[in-house]
Amino acid sequence: MVVLRKLPGMPGWPAALGLRLPQKFLFLLFLSGLLTLCFGALFLLPDSSRFKRLFLPRRATASASSSSSASSSSASSSSTRDTDLPRSPPAAAEPRHASPAAPRRLREKLRTGARMAGPAARTAPGSRQQVQGSESRAQPASGPPPARQTRAPFRFDYERFRRSLRHPVRGGRPGEDPETRGRRMKIKEMMKFAWDNYKQYALGKNELRPLTKNGHIGNMFGGLRGATVIDALDTLYIMELEEEFQEAKQWVEKSFDLNVNGEASLFEVNIRYIGGLLATYYLTGEEVFKSKALELGEKLLPAFNTPTGIPRGVINLGSGMSWSWGWASAGSSILAEFGTLHLEFLHLSQLSGNPVFAEKVMNIRRVLSRVEKPQGLYPNFLSPVTGSWVQHHVSIGGLGDSFYEYLIKSWLMSDKKDSEAKKMYDDALEAIEKHLVKKSAGGLTYIAEWRGGILDHKMGHLACFSGGMIALGAEHAAEERRQRHMELAAEITSTCHESYTRSDTKLGPEAFRFDAGSEAMATRLSERYYILRPEVVESYMYLWRLTHDPKYRHWGWEVVQALEKHCRVEAGFSGIRDVYTTTPSHDNMQQSFFLAETLKYLYLLFCEDDVLSLEDWVFNTEAHPLPINHTDFKAAAQP
Ligand code: DMJ
């Protein structure tokens, strides 16, 4: 009232009483507006203001000042402050504090505060935390939560996982023969040479170009860089190249940028980047590898937004838009691509507590187990829209290969609990044996390709991984199959070895044929190249571990010598354009899988069996070791 009396042009209360009716009405309207404004302004005062405490009740003060500002009685650490907040939803409390007559900006401030920091914000449907924590799903669906209960953040119990391993990761090897040790050391030297040159000329690019001494980026990884760093990490670690491992780790910490915006192959990003990061986390326990793997895993999820949940092959890592490869018939997805996510995605769920990754790959499994298979075979092209096969081309080499590999490895990785995967593998292998396995006139066993019922008597270099896979499956097969499958594995591996020994360089071609009088040799110019691929030495490694027949080490050593002679150049290792000539024609590319796979499998071939023991680990298709789930490592951190 004092204020009113002093307002310029205002005659004061006695005069006001003498006003006519319309004037009185206007005056009262003005007065009530002013009062509302003053009341509303109280909310803008700090909690400590005496004025505020005078006019607003204590509860309203604490709530309206938003949960982010600590009341004088709350604990000092931010984490405990959150748990001390009132549990009632601010959405219901909000109208009580936001007077309908309060100015709009003031109401906005109150609303935003409640949404951003109130308990309801932390449990809002669709909020990141709720989706991520399995604990949040485990909470009772109804009834009020206990007064001080907080959601325990998900924590993977790394120490418990390490204790569950049956063998030391890098193993001990007392009393080993000097020749084996010497050969292993030679392979370690090759790895150091490959890494040092990559580091010197191409660090941060995806691959090294060893002739021109520069880096290559390519277009497979959607703008991600450092494919060779990520692929090399676990090999450097296993080979105890400590300094080099630290260099690679530092690059990941300081320079590995996931905020990219380009078209990536879902499959390649998964097997190389996610596989490499996961494996290195499991080997070292260093959080940076886990968090990068999880962050990248989330970026791949939009590719699964199709009518069937079968992901498309290409994804833009920035926008999340996805589509099929231009060359894949009728917008189809490729069996070896969407069928090679299972191992990594189960681990992403295990490490994050977020079931979404496992759900995505279990859905792929569901679609594949239901779809009708021609003669029990899995064609390579499937429509992500209809869930039906698009073309009847079957191959255990390119386009099909690692789908079969991931079935048997899913079963092994589950500690032999995933019986559905085992059955799918057994049935698929039976159909392959029946329809695709053939013997050449010269007595070589091979696996042909199938095009709508017509056989193509060709084996790709990629298909040579199958010797190792079949041996691994045979190890665990029922008695009547074990012997047969072990023999099949040995015969296929021997055929692949033949494809190497029949060349002048003692390295194998990209594809070899069994027709027109040819046996295990390339017949087309376009199939004569070798790009440092690992599949043949991969099979040698498994066959060695499972049989201890010395010929596999002997064959592996032949490959080491051939690599040194024909692929080693001044600044790294390079693929060659023609395995049938010793006149060098290098392709100027040191593939990242040479460090991830070829050199790792060669090294393991000359290690004791307890180094990355097959009892503890399965290798993803890029040779990144992922642990067998002997126990449940999940744990909820105590608040
Ligand atoms: C690797 O990237 C993987 O092994 C993949 O499964 C197929 N091919 C290359 C190496 O040849």
Side-chain angles (χ1 to χ4, degrees), residues 231 267-268 271-272 340 401-402 405 461-462 531-535 538 593 597 620-623:
D231 253 357
F267 163 78
E268 296 290 355
I271 67 168
R272 300 194 201 206
T340 309
D401 49 7
S402 40
E405 177 185 354
H461 191 290
L462 291 168
I531 56 169
L532 306 174
R533 284 200 192 276
E535 291 76 15
E538 173 180 351
F593 53 68
E597 299 189 72
N620 89 337
T621 196
E622 190 79 358

Side-chain angles (χ1 to χ4, degrees), residues 551-616:
K551 77 179 176 202
Y552 297 111
R553 276 189 166 170
H554 180 65
W555 291 353
W557 188 244
E558 286 174 357
V559 177
V560 169
Q561 290 173 309
L563 286 168
E564 283 287 283
K565 192 163 176 194
H566 302 291
C567 300
R568 188 169 181 142
V569 294
E570 193 193 321
F573 287 89
S574 166
I576 54 175
R577 294 210 168 86
D578 187 350
V579 295
Y580 299 110
T581 172
T582 50
T583 313
S585 176
H586 294 111
D587 68 6
N588 194 22
M589 182 69 78
Q590 179 177 282
Q591 302 281 353
S592 75
F593 53 68
F594 181 65
L595 292 86
E597 299 189 72
T598 314
L599 291 175
K600 186 188 285 134
Y601 284 134
L602 281 170
Y603 183 83
L604 292 176
L605 182 60
F606 294 96
C607 281
E608 294 299 310
D609 292 355
D610 61 353
V611 179
L612 289 180
S613 164
L614 297 180
E615 288 183 18
D616 283 328

Side-chain angles (χ1 to χ4, degrees), residues 219-222 224 262-275 296-306 309-317 322-323 325 333-334 336-341 344-345 360-361 364:
N219 52 13
M220 253 184 342
F221 307 118
L224 292 174
E263 300 163 19
S265 156
L266 172 72
F267 163 78
E268 296 290 355
V269 169
N270 178 56
I271 67 168
R272 300 194 201 206
Y273 284 89
I274 294 189
L296 195 47
E298 298 226 354
K299 285 178 184 283
L300 299 184
L301 291 176
F304 295 80
N305 295 337
T306 65
I310 295 288
R312 298 188 195 277
V314 187
I315 178 160
N316 182 304
L317 296 175
S322 70
W323 53 94
W325 292 108
S333 297
I334 312 297
E337 296 198 332
F338 64 78
T340 309
L341 304 164
E344 296 82 358
F345 273 50
K360 298 292 182 200
V361 290
I364 295 176

Side-chain angles (χ1 to χ4, degrees), residues 218-269:
N219 52 13
M220 253 184 342
F221 307 118
L224 292 174
R225 299 284 195 266
T228 294
V229 181
I230 309 292
D231 253 357
L233 275 162
D234 54 12
T235 311
L236 294 171
Y237 180 82
I238 287 301
M239 292 185 180
E240 300 177 51
L241 285 162
E242 307 294 354
E243 204 178 297
E244 292 75 8
F245 174 77
Q246 289 305 328
E247 291 162 359
K249 183 183 141 193
Q250 257 185 35
W251 185 87
V252 174
E253 285 170 337
K254 295 196 180 133
S255 311
F256 185 34
D257 182 10
L258 300 185
N259 293 316
V260 293
N261 190 20
E263 300 163 19
S265 156
L266 172 72
F267 163 78
E268 296 290 355
V269 169

Side-chain angles (χ1 to χ4, degrees), residues 99 241 288 340 372 437 471 545 585 617:
S99 151
L241 285 162
V288 63
T340 309
E372 201 187 314
V437 173
R545 286 242 172 142
S585 176
W617 305 89

Side-chain angles (χ1 to χ4, degrees), residues 216-471:
H216 173 256
I217 291 175
N219 52 13
M220 253 184 342
F221 307 118
L224 292 174
R225 299 284 195 266
T228 294
V229 181
I230 309 292
D231 253 357
L233 275 162
D234 54 12
T235 311
L236 294 171
Y237 180 82
I238 287 301
M239 292 185 180
E240 300 177 51
L241 285 162
E242 307 294 354
E243 204 178 297
E244 292 75 8
F245 174 77
Q246 289 305 328
E247 291 162 359
K249 183 183 141 193
Q250 257 185 35
W251 185 87
V252 174
E253 285 170 337
K254 295 196 180 133
S255 311
F256 185 34
D257 182 10
L258 300 185
N259 293 316
V260 293
N261 190 20
E263 300 163 19
S265 156
L266 172 72
F267 163 78
E268 296 290 355
V269 169
N270 178 56
I271 67 168
R272 300 194 201 206
Y273 284 89
I274 294 189
L277 291 164
L278 287 174
T280 313
Y281 170 68
Y282 281 116
L283 291 172
T284 65
E286 306 257 15
E287 288 291 315
V288 63
F289 302 115
K290 180 174 84 176
S291 62
K292 296 277 185 192
L294 294 177
E295 200 182 332
L296 195 47
E298 298 226 354
K299 285 178 184 283
L300 299 184
L301 291 176
F304 295 80
N305 295 337
T306 65
T308 57
I310 295 288
R312 298 188 195 277
V314 187
I315 178 160
N316 182 304
L317 296 175
S319 68
M321 292 245 308
S322 70
W323 53 94
S324 304
W325 292 108
W327 48 264
S329 42
S332 53
S333 297
I334 312 297
L335 181 68
E337 296 198 332
F338 64 78
T340 309
L341 304 164
H342 206 95
L343 305 181
E344 296 82 358
F345 273 50
L346 289 195
H347 278 289
L348 290 176
S349 278
Q350 170 161 283
L351 290 181
S352 64
N354 183 353
V356 69
F357 303 102
E359 283 163 10
K360 298 292 182 200
V361 290
M362 288 315 291
N363 177 60
I364 295 176
R365 166 85 62 82
R366 210 168 304 125
V367 173
L368 283 174
S369 63
R370 283 185 194 158
V371 68
E372 201 187 314
K373 284 86 137 159
Q375 320 237 33
L377 296 166
Y378 288 82
N380 292 335
F381 299 94
L382 188 86
S383 163
V385 176
T386 64
S388 320
W389 305 115
V390 173
Q391 230 192 49
H392 284 185
H393 171 218
V394 178
S395 152
I396 202 163
L399 305 177
D401 49 7
S402 40
F403 158 67
Y404 305 98
E405 177 185 354
Y406 271 35
L407 287 179
I408 188 66
K409 288 181 177 176
S410 292
W411 178 68
L412 290 170
M413 200 176 85
S414 72
D415 211 10
K416 303 180 193 166
K417 295 187 187 86
D418 183 355
S419 49
E420 184 183 44
K422 178 71 161 51
K423 175 152 179 29
M424 286 171 77
Y425 172 78
D426 286 342
D427 292 349
L429 189 56
E430 198 174 309
I432 288 167
E433 271 187 284
K434 193 164 165 196
H435 300 291
L436 306 184
V437 173
K438 298 285 156 199
K439 208 165 246 212
S440 72
L444 298 180
T445 302
Y446 63 97
I447 306 183
E449 297 191 5
W450 193 81
R451 294 174 195 277
I454 312 234
L455 284 185
D456 188 0
H457 298 271
K458 156 195 166 195
M459 240 182 116
H461 191 290
L462 291 168
C464 286
F465 88 97
S466 60
M469 175 188 76
I470 295 169

